[in-house]
């Protein structure tokens, strides 16, 4: 493990015991104490580069104050423009930010854009007469435009500061306003989420030692045969997954310790977005009613089993970095300037690559996903047309499904190499060493799917398929 990884792990483990402290606190303790801890961690790990996050928050607050009706577009432009400046500061003679500054800036960008959208929704609600004057307030609506103090506290809250999960301002407010956080369970769900973390950690350490990434850059690797070169991307992606399983599960445990993101199960919460159904508080129920059951779906950021064993490429994205996928689906995919499924997916992946950084490997990897999605969709449609039947809601475990799963995993292995190698030369060098197998294979499957004869369209079609990130088209 690198020194940076040890620092991340220390921060994540620190967030668990301090979470139990904040769980006992009231509104002001959570708001100002949580922001103070987050700001202190930022100052320790980012030093003078903390100014980047401060400037981002101040700029967003100015936009919210001056133009609440169009703040969602303006904030998206402001924060993503500042990301470009942030990544090119060395060209203007400023010192390069620390890796921790980059992590803080990434999550802060998502939070500020989401906050601006929540503010813009207030104006929409007033136009539609669904304000607090009605009997049932709009689901997830924040009460008012936050001032500078609340915006700073939200931006610097220690929860999810560097590793996520992403959460909306509404989720943050609900945590501050919990009527009885001590009644919300923490220990049992925390232990349930943490039980496999040591296993993932040991697998990460062992696999990273046996299959170092730097070996791919050596001449000795180039001299190995094609089967070995193809095989090597499998453990590289395995190491990549184990590393993030540990980080995100520990981050979730920090949230659970503080009862952050806890909602009654009847609220049907979604990762990142929060409740999707109105759910009255326990004290509003009937006398003597049983206390509600809670879950932490709102801050769930990873589903290891789903990531490893789902069949489709698009499902693999939904189970990975789930709160960020919700953000991409809600604010990018749904607002993409295209109607085509593949083009909207490509636009979303382009924005995701830019958010991650300027390294060419990010773009090469993310922009391979739309090709895989197009091939997957075309082949599924072609096979469905030959059968003349609708697809099953969930793929079974037949031989065809296992083959589909195998190809999905190899596609992600292949794309992961670009993500971890980052630079243009090493990425293309590796892909050339395996003869661009996934690009050519996906293109071949796309052409095959389009060439398969189709049956006559059914008179009544079902609902349109969901977008690649979980949002409907």
């Amino acid at each position: 493990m690198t020194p940076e990884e040890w620092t991340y792990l220390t921060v994540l483990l620190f967030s668990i015991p301090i979470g139990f402290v904040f769980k006992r606190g009231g509104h002001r303790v959570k708001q100002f104490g949580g922001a103070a801890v987050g700001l202190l961690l930022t100052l320790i790990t980012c030093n003078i580069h903390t100014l980047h996050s401060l400037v981002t928050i101040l700029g967003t607050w100015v936009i919210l104050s001056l133009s609440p009706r169009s703040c969602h577009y303006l904030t998206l432009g402001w924060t993503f423009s500042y990301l470009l400046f942030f990544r090119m500061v060395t060209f203007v003679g400023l010192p390069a930010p620390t890796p921790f500054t980059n992590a803080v800036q990434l999550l802060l960008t998502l939070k500020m854009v989401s906050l601006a959208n929540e503010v813009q929704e207030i104006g929409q609600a007033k136009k539609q007469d669904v304000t607090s004057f009605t009997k049932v307030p709009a689901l997830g609506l924040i009460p008012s435009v936050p001032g500078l103090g609340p915006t700073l506290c939200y931006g610097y809250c220690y929860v999810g500061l560097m590793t996520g999960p992403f959460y909306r301002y509404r989720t943050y407010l609900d945590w501050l306003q919990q009527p009885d956080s001590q009644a919300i369970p923490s220990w049992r769900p925390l232990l349930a989420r943490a039980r496999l973390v040591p296993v993932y950690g040991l697998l990460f350490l062992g696999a990273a030692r046996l299959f170092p990434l730097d070996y791919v850059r050596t001449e000795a690797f180039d001299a190995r045969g094609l089967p070995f070169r193809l095989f090597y991307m499998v453990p590289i992606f395995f190491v990549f997954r184990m590393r993030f399983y540990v980080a995100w599960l520990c981050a979730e445990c920090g949230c659970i310790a503080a009862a952050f993101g806890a909602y009654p199960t009847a609220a049907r919460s979604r990762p990142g977005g929060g409740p999707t159904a109105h759910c009255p508080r326990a004290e509003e129920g009937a006398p003597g009613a049983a206390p509600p059951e809670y879950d932490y779906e709102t801050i769930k950021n990873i589903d290891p089993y789903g990531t490893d064993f789902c069949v489709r490429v698009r499902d693999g994205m939904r189970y990975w970095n789930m709160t960020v996928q919700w953000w991409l689906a809600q604010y990018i995919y749904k607002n993409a300037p295209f109607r085509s499924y593949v083009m909207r997916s490509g636009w979303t992946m382009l924005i995701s690559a830019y958010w991650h950084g300027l390294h060419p490997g990010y773009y090469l990897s993310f922009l391979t996903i739309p090709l895989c999605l197009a091939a997957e969709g075309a082949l599924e449609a072609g096979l469905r047309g030959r059968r003349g039947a609708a697809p099953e809601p969930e793929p079974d475990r037949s031989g065809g499904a296992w083959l589909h799963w195998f190809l999905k995993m190899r596609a992600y292995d292949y794309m992961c190499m670009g993500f971890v190698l980052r630079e243009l030369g090493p990425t293309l060098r590796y892909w050339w060493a395996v003869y661009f197998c996934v690009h050519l294979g996906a293109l071949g499957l796309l052409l095959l799917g389009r060439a398969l004869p189709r049956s006559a369209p059914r008179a009544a079609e079902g609902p349109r398929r969901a977008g690649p990130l979980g949002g409907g088209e």
Side-chain angles (χ1 to χ4, degrees):
M1 291 177 62
T2 65
E4 289 81 9
E5 288 173 332
W6 280 113
T7 301
Y8 280 122
L9 183 59
T10 301
V11 171
L12 288 171
L13 295 178
F14 167 75
S15 68
I16 296 175
I18 201 172
F20 286 104
V21 175
F22 281 110
K23 182 180 178 181
R24 294 178 175 273
H27 184 291
R28 296 179 67 85
V29 171
K30 292 179 178 178
Q31 182 178 21
F32 297 110
V37 171
L39 181 58
L40 180 61
L41 290 173
T42 305
L43 290 170
I44 292 173
T45 56
C46 305
N47 304 314
I48 189 63
H49 304 292
T50 302
L51 288 173
H52 289 295
S53 56
L54 180 61
V55 169
T56 302
I57 295 174
L58 292 176
T60 301
W61 171 71
V62 170
I63 292 172
L64 299 182
S65 302
L66 297 180
S67 184
R69 291 186 178 181
S70 55
C71 60
H72 51 315
Y73 293 123
L74 294 175
T75 301
L76 180 65
W78 155 246
T79 53
F80 272 62
S81 297
Y82 194 85
L83 271 182
L84 180 63
F85 167 76
F86 170 76
R87 285 159 178 160
M88 302 183 71
V89 291
T90 55
F91 290 96
V92 295
L94 295 176
T98 66
F100 311 107
T101 312
N102 182 65
V104 171
Q105 197 69 24
L106 289 179
L107 271 300
L108 185 64
T109 297
L110 301 183
K111 290 163 76 174
M112 293 297 103
V113 172
S114 178
L115 174 60
N117 277 270
E118 292 180 83
V119 168
Q120 191 263 346
E121 288 170 2
I122 298 176
Q124 288 184 335
K126 290 180 179 179
K127 291 181 180 180
Q128 298 170 3
D129 294 325
V130 289
T131 63
S132 57
F133 295 105
T134 60
K135 293 183 179 180
V136 181
L139 184 65
L141 192 68
I142 61 176
S144 60
V145 180
L148 178 58
T151 303
L152 285 167
C153 290
Y154 171 57
Y156 283 117
C157 180
Y158 82 96
V159 178
L161 183 67
M162 295 182 183
T163 59
F166 156 78
Y167 49 87
R168 303 169 67 221
Y169 185 70
R170 177 71 264 178
T171 303
Y172 171 71
L173 282 183
D174 290 340
W175 178 59
L176 299 182
Q177 299 168 357
Q178 282 174 345
D180 185 13
S181 58
Q182 289 300 104
I184 301 174
S186 286
W187 275 111
R188 182 172 295 180
L190 188 152
L191 294 174
R193 288 303 277 169
R195 69 182 186 276
L196 291 179
V197 168
V199 177
Y200 296 140
L202 291 174
L203 290 172
F204 162 72
L205 293 173
R209 187 175 183 85
L210 291 173
F211 304 98
L213 177 64
D214 289 339
Y215 182 59
V216 178
R217 298 185 172 96
T218 65
E219 294 182 0
F221 180 83
D222 295 335
R224 304 296 292 262
L226 177 61
F228 181 84
R229 298 197 300 268
L230 284 169
F231 160 76
Y232 207 81
M233 63 184 180
V234 176
I236 292 296
F237 184 44
F238 180 81
V239 171
F240 183 81
R241 297 200 311 277
M242 296 304 111
R243 179 173 180 263
F244 279 97
Y245 288 174
V246 171
W248 286 334
L249 287 173
C250 286
E252 287 183 35
C253 289
C255 295
I256 294 171
F260 192 104
Y263 290 98
T265 55
R268 300 198 296 273
S269 299
R270 295 182 61 188
T276 61
H278 286 285
C279 186
R281 293 177 177 177
E283 66 270 19
E284 297 173 359
E293 295 183 4
Y294 289 87
D295 63 41
Y296 289 89
E297 287 295 311
T298 299
I299 52 86
K300 184 178 181 180
N301 208 33
I302 187 66
D303 183 340
Y305 180 84
T307 299
D308 286 345
F309 294 105
C310 70
V311 173
R312 298 186 178 96
V313 172
R314 62 176 177 266
D315 291 337
M317 290 188 291
R318 294 176 189 169
Y319 295 122
W320 177 268
N321 206 0
M322 298 165 75
T323 59
V324 174
Q325 300 297 349
W326 180 89
W327 187 96
L328 287 168
Q330 189 73 17
Y331 302 128
I332 303 300
Y333 181 84
K334 289 184 178 180
N335 298 317
F338 308 100
R339 299 192 65 180
S340 163
Y341 166 71
V342 173
M343 292 299 295
R344 293 172 80 182
S345 302
W347 173 257
T348 305
M349 292 301 102
L350 178 63
I351 298 300
S352 180
Y354 175 81
W355 177 74
H356 279 87
L358 300 179
H359 297 289
Y362 294 159
Y363 296 85
L364 292 172
S365 295
F366 278 107
L367 293 180
T368 302
I369 292 177
L371 175 61
C372 295
L373 291 172
E376 182 177 67
L379 193 58
E380 285 182 338
L383 294 174
R384 186 167 65 248
R386 286 177 62 84
R387 292 194 304 263
E392 295 294 331
E394 289 293 335
D396 58 21
R397 294 301 174 182
S398 64
W402 281 112
L403 177 61
H404 194 164
W405 167 83
F406 179 83
L407 295 176
K408 181 266 297 185
M409 291 302 295
R410 303 297 73 80
Y412 279 119
D413 294 338
Y414 180 89
M415 289 183 282
C416 176
M417 296 303 294
F419 195 91
V420 296
L421 290 171
R422 295 187 179 184
E423 302 305 324
L424 179 65
T427 301
L428 293 179
R429 180 181 174 184
Y430 177 79
W431 283 354
W432 174 261
V434 295
Y435 301 106
F436 291 91
C437 57
V438 167
H439 284 99
L440 295 178
L443 183 60
L445 292 175
L446 174 62
L447 296 176
L448 175 62
R450 291 178 179 266
L452 290 172
R454 310 296 176 90
S455 61
R458 296 186 301 273
E461 293 289 342
R464 299 185 68 184
R465 63 183 171 182
L469 304 171
E473 285 193 88

